[in-house]
Amino acid sequence: SVVMKILLRTAALLILAGAAAGLWILLHPSPEKIIRKTLNEAAQCIAFKTGQGDLSRLASAQKLGDFFAQDGKAILDAPVHGKHELEGRDEIREAAVAASRFIGNVRIELVGFNIVLAKDRASARVELTARFNLGDGELNVQELRLQMVQTNRTGLISRAETVKVLR
């Protein structure tokens, strides 16, 4: 019947529109989603497993530099190790490689993302919490503040710093 044909065509059209919308979302993720994905990938570069080979650790640590802008800056203020300022992608990469030689098992989870995009959407301020375990069973928590810049379809960290929290 004519009514049934119209219903079938309408249903097919709705299914096609839904599939197209899903494909659009898959191919064009939001800037916030891209930032979360980028930062989680960066965190995994310094998450090491017991028994992980030296070359694998080295390659992973070196990759961390790729997540920073060429003139990126990292300011780390660790309670035991003091304050360190790293200038430029190469220095950040070298510090990650050096740390990989001395750190054992490390698990990292990034949570509590607060992402504020600039009006031009070319940069973003990100605040988050890093929860990590250095293999000693103790959970460590560190607040981080980052500035990111948009490049092509990904973002690069232009500034990263630890944040002291009152306890």
Side-chain angles (χ1 to χ4, degrees):
S1 82
V2 174
V3 173
M4 188 62 146
K5 285 182 181 179
I6 291 172
L7 286 175
L8 286 174
R9 287 182 183 159
T10 303
L13 194 61
L14 288 174
I15 291 170
L16 184 60
L23 185 60
W24 175 264
I25 290 170
L26 181 67
L27 296 175
H28 299 90
S30 70
E32 292 87 349
K33 191 171 188 174
I34 292 170
I35 288 169
R36 279 188 185 89
K37 181 178 185 282
T38 298
L39 293 177
N40 279 311
E41 288 175 1
Q44 293 315 303
C45 290
I46 52 174
F48 304 116
K49 296 175 180 68
T50 303
Q52 184 176 356
D54 290 341
L55 288 177
S56 173
R57 282 172 168 265
L58 178 67
S60 186
Q62 280 185 326
K63 188 176 177 192
L64 180 66
D66 297 340
F67 290 92
F68 280 82
Q70 188 66 38
D71 60 348
K73 185 174 189 174
I75 303 168
L76 309 171
D77 194 355
V80 176
H81 303 287
K83 188 172 184 175
H84 298 279
E85 292 191 24
L86 306 171
E87 298 271 352
R89 178 185 291 162
D90 293 335
E91 190 173 342
I92 292 166
R93 181 179 285 126
E94 289 169 14
V97 167
S100 74
R101 294 183 183 124
F102 301 105
I103 297 174
N105 187 34
V106 179
R107 285 191 358 245
I108 299 175
E109 179 185 17
L110 302 179
V111 297
F113 285 83
N114 179 20
I115 301 169
V116 179
L117 295 173
K119 289 183 184 185
D120 64 1
R121 300 173 75 85
S123 65
R125 188 183 79 242
V126 182
E127 294 174 348
L128 59 91
T129 302
R131 296 193 300 206
F132 56 98
N133 182 310
L134 298 176
D136 56 6
E138 184 178 335
L139 179 65
N140 298 281
V141 177
Q142 179 63 61
E143 300 294 321
L144 300 171
R145 184 178 303 127
L146 304 113
Q147 189 68 35
M148 297 190 69
V149 292
Q150 181 73 22
T151 59
N152 298 330
R153 301 233 336 122
T154 187
L156 292 176
I157 302 165
S158 59
R159 182 182 176 94
E161 62 184 303
T162 56
V163 177
K164 286 193 175 187
V165 180
L166 299 176
R167 296 191 189 254

